[in-house]
């Protein structure tokens, strides 16, 4: 009867070598993978930040151009112009122009035109250069040209706008010609750009209109900054212009280099520990620590929550600490991105998405018998503020209201900006009198915030209130519709007031 040959003994050195190789590959792969994730998240953050800055600059440029168009249209609708163009003499016409010149910031030139596009008055005194005069005659701007860029003389670049003046019978009497300096657009780009970023405004021909800093990037006229790799292009309204935002790519940041050094030092320490320590007594503990590390790296690679790793031996604390720090860093980055997605960038209040997320919780309280009031409010005549004083003042008014809501909102409440000047507030455990008192405090505090910001804006707040219904179960759209209906009634009754959709405890129709 033959017996099988005994299995030859396994070399401890070979077993250790394979184990060492496995641990080395795992640690190198884990550190490399964590660094790769970190670089990917950092790259996404850089792209997102560049896009935010580009959109902010684009919106600022659009608002400024719209302001220019609105301004020239308002001048063209001046009641004095019809008689001025029909019967006025040149001195009166030039006096009308001079009286408006001092009121308009960033103005380069202003004049009245005949129906054929000729200038009424002294072109030199009115600061209308030869190129502009030639453009007016050749293009017949009163028949269609609205905006034209003039860059012929260095230091005198400007944008020309024309608006037709018509009589009561729609007869073309002439026009208003207005030239605005490009300095205002350049200031917008300078304020929006962060260090290292290049923001360039191009016209429809791809030529540089303005750029942040001095010059136009590398001087090639296409808005490209030297060495930049990230680029975002955004259309700027109906002017045919394009905003180009560029920023250099940071492939390896300082934190990434530190992670590589720490990972390499940790790997070397582990190898030395394995070489100098007996394997028989340490094998089980080492395998347990390695298994925990492997699971943590796998969870990290799968974008799952990584529990803190507690090493068995103190020699592994450095490596484990680095892995925990990488995991915590990535989790914090995800939390920051989630916070940004739930926050309104202008006011810092929760946005509509955050409101939709919190609404089911408020509805659950209503189902358990709590009084939950939904209040919709907006600023009276907010569009008039923007049109009359500019969007910068409008933003300050929004910030004043946001600060008021932050001050008056309790931990159990929620104040969110839905869109524009429309805000939604969820108030917990207040009856109708409590809601009315809260609204009065809101009005008083809002006025104080306006005064603190130096805004001499006398405007009220219209508000509509609805109670969340637990039984039958309510929905967000239904509740918003009731509150919106009450808000509409507040405006119909003269604005600057709070209107209740129904008293507390009553069911709303429908």
């Amino acid at each position: 009867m033959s017996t099988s040959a005994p299995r030859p003994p396994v070399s401890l050195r070979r077993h250790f070598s394979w184990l060492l190789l496995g641990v080395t590959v795992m640690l190198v792969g884990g550190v490399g993978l964590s660094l790769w994730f970190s670089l990917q998240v950092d790259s996404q953050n850089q792209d997102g930040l560049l896009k935010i800055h580009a959109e902010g600059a684009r919106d600022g440029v659009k608002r400024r151009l719209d302001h220019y168009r609105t301004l020239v249209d308002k001048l063209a609708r001046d009641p004095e112009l019809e008689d001025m163009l029909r019967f006025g003499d040149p001195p009166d016409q030039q006096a009308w122009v001079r009286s408006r010149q001092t009121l308009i910031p960033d103005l380069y030139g202003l004049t009245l035109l005949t129906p054929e596009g000729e200038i009424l008055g002294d072109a030199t005194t009115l600061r209308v250069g030869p190129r502009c005069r030639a453009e007016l005659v050749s293009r017949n701007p009163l028949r269609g040209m609205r905006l034209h860029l003039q860059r012929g003389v260095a230091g005198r670049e400007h944008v020309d706008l024309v608006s037709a003046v018509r009589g009561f019978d729609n007869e073309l009497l002439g026009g208003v010609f207005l030239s605005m300096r490009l300095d205002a657009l350049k200031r917008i780009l300078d304020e929006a750009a962060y260090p290292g970023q290049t923001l360039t405004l191009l016209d429809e021909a791809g030529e540089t209109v303005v750029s942040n800093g001095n010059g136009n990037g590398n001087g090639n006229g296409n808005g490209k900054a030297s060495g930049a790799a990230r680029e975002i292009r955004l259309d700027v309204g109906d002017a045919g212009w394009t905003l180009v935002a560029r920023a250099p790519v940071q492939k390896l940041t300082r934190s990434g280099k530190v992670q590589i050094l720490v990972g390499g030092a940790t790997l070397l320490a582990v190898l030395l520990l394995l070489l100098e320590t007996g394997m028989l007594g340490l094998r089980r503990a080492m395998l347990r620590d390695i298994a925990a590390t492997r699971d943590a790296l796998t969870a990290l690679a799968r974008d799952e929550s990584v529990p803190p790793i507690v090493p068995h031996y103190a020699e592994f604390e450095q490596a484990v600490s680095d892995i925990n720090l990488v995991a915590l860093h990535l989790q914090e980055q995800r939390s920051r991105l989630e916070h940004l997605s739930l926050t309104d960038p202008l006011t810092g209040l929760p946005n509509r998405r955050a409101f939709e997320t919190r609404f089911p919780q408020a509805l659950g309280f209503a189902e358990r018998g709590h009084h939950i009031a939904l209040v919709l409010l907006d600023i009276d005549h907010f569009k008039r503020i923007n049109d009359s004083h500019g969007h910068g003042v409008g933003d300050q008014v929004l910030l004043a209201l946001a600060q008021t809501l932050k001050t008056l909102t309790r931990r159990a409440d929620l104040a969110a900006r839905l869109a524009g000047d429309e805000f939604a507030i969820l108030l917990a455990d207040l009856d109708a009198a409590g809601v009315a008192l809260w609204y009065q405090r809101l009005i008083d505090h809002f006025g104080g915030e306006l005064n603190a910001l130096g805004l001499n804006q006398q405007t009220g707040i219209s508000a509509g209130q609805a109670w969340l219904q637990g039984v039958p179960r309510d929905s967000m759209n239904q509740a918003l519709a009731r509150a919106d209906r009450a808000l509409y009634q507040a405006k119909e009754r003269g604005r600057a007031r709070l209107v209740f959709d129904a008293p507390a405890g009553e069911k709303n129709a429908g």
Side-chain angles (χ1 to χ4, degrees):
M1 183 177 180
S2 63
T3 59
S4 58
R7 186 178 62 179
V10 179
S11 170
L12 181 61
R13 185 180 298 274
R14 178 180 297 180
H15 189 76
F16 170 76
S17 299
W18 281 107
L19 180 60
L20 179 62
L21 179 61
V23 173
T24 302
V25 171
M26 184 180 61
L27 288 177
V28 171
V31 173
L33 187 62
S34 63
L35 178 60
W36 183 82
F37 272 112
S38 178
L39 293 176
Q40 290 299 313
V41 173
D42 185 64
S43 177
Q44 293 176 3
N45 288 342
Q46 291 182 36
D47 289 339
L49 188 62
L50 181 62
K51 184 177 181 181
I52 290 174
H53 295 162
E55 290 177 344
R58 187 268 314 274
D59 294 343
V61 171
K62 288 176 63 177
R63 286 195 296 268
R64 179 60 62 176
L65 292 178
D66 290 342
H67 174 69
Y68 291 165
R69 293 188 179 97
T70 302
L71 182 61
V72 72
D73 289 340
K74 284 185 177 180
L75 292 175
R77 293 195 298 269
D78 191 328
E80 299 179 13
L81 280 185
E82 182 174 353
D83 291 339
M84 185 76 64
L85 292 175
R86 288 182 184 274
F87 312 111
D89 52 16
D92 292 336
Q93 294 167 350
Q94 190 138 335
W96 182 92
V97 171
R98 289 179 177 176
S99 67
R100 271 67 177 175
Q101 285 178 333
T102 58
L103 303 177
I104 303 175
D106 299 313
L107 181 68
Y108 185 76
L110 178 66
T111 185
L112 297 177
L113 303 175
T114 67
E116 292 75 24
E118 297 179 355
I119 295 173
L120 292 175
D122 182 9
T124 303
T125 304
L126 298 173
R127 290 181 293 183
V128 183
R131 290 179 177 269
C132 294
R133 295 198 299 270
E135 192 74 31
L136 289 172
V137 175
S138 64
R139 292 202 176 199
N140 196 3
L142 298 179
R143 304 289 181 182
M145 186 186 79
R146 291 280 294 162
L147 184 148
H148 185 72
L149 179 64
Q150 293 286 0
R151 56 163 67 89
V153 181
R156 298 182 181 180
E157 297 84 355
H158 57 276
V159 174
D160 295 338
L161 298 99
V162 177
S163 184
V165 178
R166 297 185 179 275
F168 68 93
D169 55 355
N170 204 33
E171 177 188 0
L172 180 62
L173 303 178
V176 176
F177 172 84
L178 183 146
S179 296
M180 305 300 299
R181 299 181 186 272
L182 296 180
D183 294 346
L185 301 182
K186 186 177 184 302
R187 288 195 299 270
I188 294 174
L189 300 189
D190 290 341
E191 294 171 358
Y194 273 41
Q197 293 181 350
T198 301
L199 299 177
T200 305
L201 192 62
L202 306 179
D203 62 12
E204 60 275 9
E207 296 294 329
T208 299
V209 179
V210 287
S211 180
N212 68 303
N214 50 16
N216 58 356
N218 62 358
N220 56 7
N222 59 5
K224 292 186 178 180
S226 177
R230 303 181 187 278
E231 177 178 298
I232 293 178
R233 289 176 174 262
L234 301 174
D235 292 334
V236 183
D238 57 358
W241 292 0
T242 302
L243 180 71
V244 180
R246 294 179 64 86
V249 174
Q250 299 179 356
K251 294 185 177 180
L252 190 61
T253 62
R254 183 175 180 273
S255 62
K257 296 178 182 178
V258 171
Q259 289 178 10
I260 292 177
L261 293 176
V262 172
T266 302
L267 179 60
L268 180 60
V270 172
L271 294 177
L272 291 175
L273 179 63
L274 290 175
L275 287 172
E276 296 178 0
T277 306
M279 288 295 299
L280 294 177
L282 302 177
R283 180 176 180 274
R284 180 174 299 175
M286 291 174 61
L287 290 177
R288 184 168 61 247
D289 288 345
I290 292 172
T293 304
R294 183 178 62 248
D295 294 341
L297 293 176
T298 302
L300 187 62
R302 295 176 178 175
D303 201 18
E304 298 174 353
S305 177
V306 180
I309 306 171
V310 181
H312 183 78
Y313 292 103
E315 288 79 0
F316 289 99
E317 287 184 351
Q318 183 63 51
V320 171
S321 175
D322 293 334
I323 295 174
N324 286 332
L325 285 177
V326 171
L328 180 62
H329 176 67
L330 293 178
Q331 290 172 353
E332 288 178 349
Q333 285 184 331
R334 289 196 294 268
S335 299
R336 286 197 296 269
L337 291 175
E338 182 178 0
H339 174 73
L340 289 175
S341 69
L342 297 175
T343 304
D344 176 60
L346 174 63
T347 63
L349 289 174
N351 58 16
R352 186 181 186 94
R353 180 180 177 188
F355 177 81
E356 293 173 350
T357 302
R358 283 279 302 276
F359 187 85
Q361 179 182 357
L363 187 58
F365 285 129
E367 291 176 347
R368 292 193 290 273
H370 293 271
H371 283 172
I372 306 295
L374 169 61
V375 180
L376 278 184
L377 55 86
D378 61 20
I379 302 171
D380 294 336
H381 306 296
F382 183 70
K383 185 177 183 302
R384 183 185 303 172
I385 295 176
N386 280 335
D387 293 342
S388 301
H389 304 281
H391 287 269
V393 174
D395 289 346
Q396 290 295 314
V397 174
L398 290 175
L399 289 172
L401 179 54
Q403 185 58 44
T404 298
L405 292 173
K406 292 176 184 177
T407 302
L408 300 183
T409 301
R410 303 166 298 172
R411 181 183 297 271
D413 301 334
L414 173 68
R417 182 189 180 194
L418 299 185
D421 64 327
E422 186 178 21
F423 294 77
I425 302 91
L426 291 171
L427 301 173
D429 294 323
L430 290 181
D431 56 12
V435 174
L437 179 60
W438 175 89
Y439 172 76
Q440 187 57 50
R441 292 177 60 196
L442 175 77
I443 296 302
D444 296 339
H445 197 285
F446 178 58
E449 288 290 338
L450 291 178
N451 292 333
L453 292 173
L455 300 175
N456 187 20
Q457 301 295 325
Q458 302 297 327
T459 183
I461 297 176
S462 298
Q465 182 272 352
W467 301 104
L468 299 193
Q469 299 179 7
V471 179
R473 184 176 177 83
D474 211 343
S475 71
M476 186 182 71
N477 290 337
Q478 291 171 343
L480 287 174
R482 296 197 304 273
D484 188 64
R485 183 172 60 233
L487 174 61
Y488 179 78
Q489 294 176 1
K491 295 179 180 179
E492 287 290 309
R493 297 177 187 177
R495 303 179 185 267
R497 67 189 65 224
L498 169 66
V499 172
F500 288 83
D501 180 59
E506 290 188 10
K507 297 179 180 180
N508 294 281

